[in-house]
Amino acid sequence: MEIHKGIMQLIERERAETLYAAMDDRQEASGGSVCNTIAGAGALGLKTALVGRVRDDDLGRFFASDTERAGTAFVNPPVAGGELPTSRSMIFVTPDGERSMNTYLGISAEVGPDDVDAAVMADTEVLFLEGYLFDKPKGKDAFLKAARACRTAGGRVGIALSDPFCVDRHRSDFLQLVAEEMDYVIGNQQEWVSLYQVNTLDEALERAAADCEIVVCTRSGEDVVLIQNGARVEAPVHKVVPVDATGAGDQFAAGFLYGLVKDLPLETCGRMGCIAAAEVITHLGARPHRDILALFKAEGLV
């Protein structure tokens, strides 16, 4: 069905309905990249809130209630008479555990500054932004409003680069955001190289470290590189044969953010991210099944 393996591609509503109807064996769950990260962070015991936009339809109401049920405050109520349906992503998992994502952005792509409560941002210690929502001018405006309200109140702000294609579409804006507004940035090898349009990862990370205080680079089964104020460390990755790779990056971010909130050493933050990512790829679904905090304790990290 011309699904591109191993990446996230954006699709239209008609295509979304076609793919959904073609799925013989499907599981449904609330999700989305940053939503999975925040759910993972909440499961670790952090007080969490999610800013997003869903329509007041069946999927939107399910999403809102499921988010709250998982322990995360959903700041924005479902929009009555919203301009588009609630967003959804159809994820196909091949026998090698790779996930291929087909995402209809729907109403989520309409997030704008009116959806951002500056008071909530000012009460936020660590803010995590999702690069996928950078596609429209009002999404960028929402990011800037949230970031500046959080940082003005003394919080720290970061972003996930999300996808090489997303980086390609908005390179100049991403570069400005990383250099001027962010305290930490998470990306994979392809995203960092794409952002700076260089030939090697070392070149890209050198540029990134000059722009941002904390730089994190995941490398598909290789040790994670973390740089803070120019000092580089690596967090070891123990390779796991994946059942489903969906959510690996999301849960890496959750583990990393837990360490960041607790002001742990950067290498420890990276190790926590790797442990959380390793757990989530051992089963179907993008959220952990095991007690990740117990896994941290078993490794002597907390």
Side-chain angles (χ1 to χ4, degrees), residues 5 27 35 76 96 100 106 138 172 174 210 222 233 247 290:
K5 184 176 176 180
Q27 299 180 18
C35 313
N76 309 81
D96 59 1
S100 305
K138 59 184 175 181
S172 61
F174 266 123
E222 302 298 324
V233 296
R290 298 173 65 187

Side-chain angles (χ1 to χ4, degrees), residues 38-59:
I38 298 305
L44 286 165
L46 300 182
K47 183 180 179 182
T48 55
L50 176 68
V51 174
R53 189 173 180 84
V54 298
R55 187 173 179 172
D56 188 11
D57 53 20
D58 288 344
L59 282 177

Side-chain angles (χ1 to χ4, degrees), residues 38-225:
I38 298 305
L44 286 165
L46 300 182
K47 183 180 179 182
T48 55
L50 176 68
V51 174
R53 189 173 180 84
V54 298
R55 187 173 179 172
D56 188 11
D57 53 20
D58 288 344
L59 282 177
R61 289 188 292 272
F62 168 76
F63 182 92
S65 63
D66 197 49
T67 300
E68 294 275 355
R69 187 165 52 249
T72 292
F74 190 52
V75 177
N76 309 81
V79 179
E83 61 275 31
L84 293 168
T86 294
S87 314
R88 73 289 307 264
S89 183
M90 276 61 63
I91 305 173
F92 293 81
V93 183
T94 40
D96 59 1
E98 188 55 88
R99 87 286 184 271
S100 305
M101 305 174 68
N102 304 266
T103 303
Y104 168 58
L105 291 177
I107 199 172
S108 288
E110 302 304 315
V111 166
D114 290 345
D115 296 305
V116 176
D117 185 334
V120 172
M121 296 300 105
D123 193 35
T124 297
E125 184 178 346
V126 174
L127 176 64
F128 183 53
L129 303 171
E130 176 50 66
Y132 284 131
L133 287 180
F134 215 59
D135 267 313
K136 293 189 177 182
K138 59 184 175 181
K140 297 172 186 176
D141 292 341
F143 276 18
L144 290 175
K145 179 180 177 180
R148 290 169 182 173
C150 180
R151 292 184 100 193
T152 298
R156 290 178 286 181
V157 179
I159 192 170
L161 296 178
S162 302
D163 185 273
F165 300 109
C166 191
V167 170
D168 286 339
R169 288 194 297 271
H170 306 288
R171 181 173 291 103
S172 61
D173 288 327
F174 266 123
L175 286 169
Q176 183 175 359
L177 196 70
V178 169
E180 298 179 7
E181 307 286 350
M182 298 295 105
D183 299 294
Y184 66 93
V185 181
I186 302 173
N188 64 30
Q189 181 170 341
Q190 292 78 18
E191 290 156 1
W192 282 117
V193 170
S194 173
L195 180 64
Y196 288 100
Q197 292 184 291
V198 293
N199 294 321
T200 69
L201 179 62
D202 284 341
E203 290 177 276
L205 294 182
E206 182 178 357
R207 294 271 301 275
D211 284 344
C212 187
E213 178 188 351
I214 297 176
V215 172
V216 182
C217 178
T218 58
R219 298 189 292 169
S220 298
E222 302 298 324
D223 292 353
V224 176
V225 177

